[in-house]
Amino acid sequence: AICDRQYVFYVMLSEGFTAICNGATFGAKMPRVSSDFIRCLHFYLPPFVEQQAIAAYLDKRCSEIDKSIATQQKRITLLQELKQSIITQTVTKGIHPDVPLKDSGVEWIGKVPEHWEVMKTSLLYTNIGSGTTPSTSKQEYYEDDGFCWLQTGDLNDGYITDTSKKISKVAVKDYKLRFYPVGSIVIAMYGATIGKIGLLKISTSTNQACCVLPYSNKMNEMYAFYVCQIAKKQMLLEAVGGGQPNISQDIIKKLKLPVPPLCEQQAIAVYLDKRCSEIDKAIATQQKRISLLQELKQSVITEAITGKIKVC
């Protein structure tokens, strides 16, 4: 039988084909398929002219849907940029536009209100620390219902309400693990998530790739969370190392941050919570539209290659 390559391409994108492939694990933890498995698969094969017509139809319909998806993704990017801009403006200039400003002396911060301070992180947070990894070769150190143990992979520039791994009482004792309190800021120092930020909503220990700024009575925790998101770019610029850059604890301790009076920090945090929540809802709406468009694309492909849509 003669096959149109573009038609076969769409067959492999159809729901039935992907479902079969996702079920073919061959003993592996992740779904995978072999060339022999693919060679033995069966699929609808209409006459060659009809294959070409279906492929042409799907080229046009999928192109239209892809353009719509790209539009939604562009809107998400613009919303994310707007959110970043609002956070930057607010944590460095405050919420009162008419206050006199002064030079902060720090390039990435720029000018700040005259009554604000600019201080090193080490002066704002005492006992900045990290953690360690209990030996992974000892099963008794890890248990599903154990104590929280945070890895950098758990950081998502948001709140930390749980950890993907838990450790046992034995691990806590053997490694003398330190637990950080609710309200602490966590920064990923290296690895795939370098620069990611987290705000603890739970008490947890951490691995060695996390730098933790424990709760401070000099900083409102939400204001600090927003400031650290903006400071991330500066930390990454100062990261050392070639292929695997490292934000050291020393870099974090020397980092200078804008520090308004505590009452103003709280007001800024409340303002940003409201503005960011509005933007996050708009982003979620766009993401839902993308999901619906992706589902539509999948449905159109499946219906066309199974003959449920007549294209010629």
Side-chain angles (χ1 to χ4, degrees):
I2 302 174
C3 295
D4 178 83
R5 285 182 297 177
Q6 193 69 358
Y7 172 80
V8 175
F9 167 73
Y10 284 118
V11 167
M12 291 183 175
L13 291 178
S14 66
E15 289 175 358
F17 189 89
T18 54
I20 292 171
C21 291
N22 285 337
T25 59
F26 293 104
K29 292 181 180 179
M30 295 295 289
R32 65 184 181 89
V33 294
S34 67
S35 55
D36 287 338
F37 178 84
I38 293 173
R39 272 195 291 267
C40 292
L41 284 173
H42 292 77
F43 56 90
Y44 294 102
L45 190 64
F48 185 69
V49 173
E50 196 169 340
Q51 293 178 44
Q52 289 181 313
I54 291 170
Y57 168 81
L58 288 175
D59 282 346
K60 182 175 184 296
R61 287 289 285 121
C62 290
S63 176
E64 292 168 351
I65 296 171
D66 287 342
K67 284 178 182 177
S68 296
I69 290 173
T71 298
Q72 305 303 324
Q73 288 172 331
K74 186 175 181 180
R75 287 174 182 167
I76 288 174
T77 299
L78 291 172
L79 285 166
Q80 289 169 334
E81 289 174 357
L82 173 63
K83 179 179 175 180
Q84 195 80 353
S85 173
I86 289 171
I87 295 173
T88 301
Q89 177 70 16
T90 309
V91 301
T92 58
K93 303 294 183 292
I95 54 179
H96 303 295
D98 299 327
V99 296
L101 303 175
K102 66 180 179 182
D103 187 357
S104 68
V106 180
E107 186 177 349
W108 74 268
I109 297 175
K111 291 185 176 182
V112 297
E114 283 185 350
H115 63 288
W116 287 21
E117 294 184 80
V118 176
M119 299 175 66
K120 284 184 180 179
T121 306
S122 59
L123 296 177
L124 294 167
Y125 293 90
T126 56
N127 299 318
I128 293 173
S130 185
T132 190
T133 300
S135 174
T136 53
S137 64
K138 293 191 176 182
Q139 288 186 335
E140 64 265 31
Y141 285 160
Y142 297 88
E143 52 187 36
D144 293 340
D145 58 349
F147 297 93
C148 288
W149 178 68
L150 185 72
Q151 306 168 88
T152 53
D154 295 323
L155 300 177
N156 60 357
D157 289 333
Y159 300 151
I160 303 299
T161 57
D162 199 5
T163 59
S164 57
K165 284 193 175 181
K166 305 290 193 298
I167 52 171
S168 67
K169 190 174 182 180
V170 177
V172 173
K173 181 182 177 183
D174 287 358
Y175 284 84
K176 298 180 174 59
L177 292 176
R178 176 182 177 185
F179 282 78
Y180 294 95
V182 172
S184 301
I185 303 292
V186 186
I187 303 167
M189 293 189 287
Y190 53 87
T193 56
I194 182 171
K196 287 280 187 181
I197 311 289
L199 174 62
L200 295 188
K201 293 295 184 179
I202 53 170
S203 174
T204 183
S205 57
T206 77
N207 72 0
Q208 64 278 8
C210 293
C211 178
V212 188
L213 313 180
Y215 177 82
S216 168
N217 58 12
K218 296 178 182 178
M219 293 287 277
N220 174 279
E221 62 185 63
M222 280 306 303
Y223 173 78
F225 174 63
Y226 286 121
V227 169
C228 286
Q229 287 184 57
I230 301 307
K232 180 196 303 186
K233 185 176 180 180
Q234 183 62 27
M235 287 188 279
L236 290 172
L237 285 173
E238 295 185 23
V240 295
Q244 293 185 322
N246 185 339
I247 301 173
S248 66
Q249 278 197 39
D250 192 47
I251 287 172
I252 294 171
K253 288 177 180 178
K254 289 180 179 177
L255 184 70
K256 290 183 177 181
L257 302 176
V259 186
L262 270 172
C263 59
E264 198 169 342
Q265 291 182 35
Q266 185 174 3
I268 288 171
V270 170
Y271 170 80
L272 286 175
D273 282 349
K274 183 176 184 296
R275 291 300 309 275
C276 292
S277 176
E278 292 167 349
I279 295 171
D280 287 341
K281 284 179 182 177
I283 290 173
T285 298
Q286 302 300 327
Q287 288 171 333
K288 186 175 181 180
R289 288 174 181 167
I290 288 174
S291 294
L292 291 172
L293 285 165
Q294 289 169 335
E295 288 174 12
L296 173 63
K297 180 178 176 180
Q298 185 82 70
S299 175
V300 168
I301 292 171
T302 301
E303 290 186 356
I305 64 103
T306 55
K308 293 174 183 175
I309 297 176
K310 190 167 180 64
V311 301
C312 64

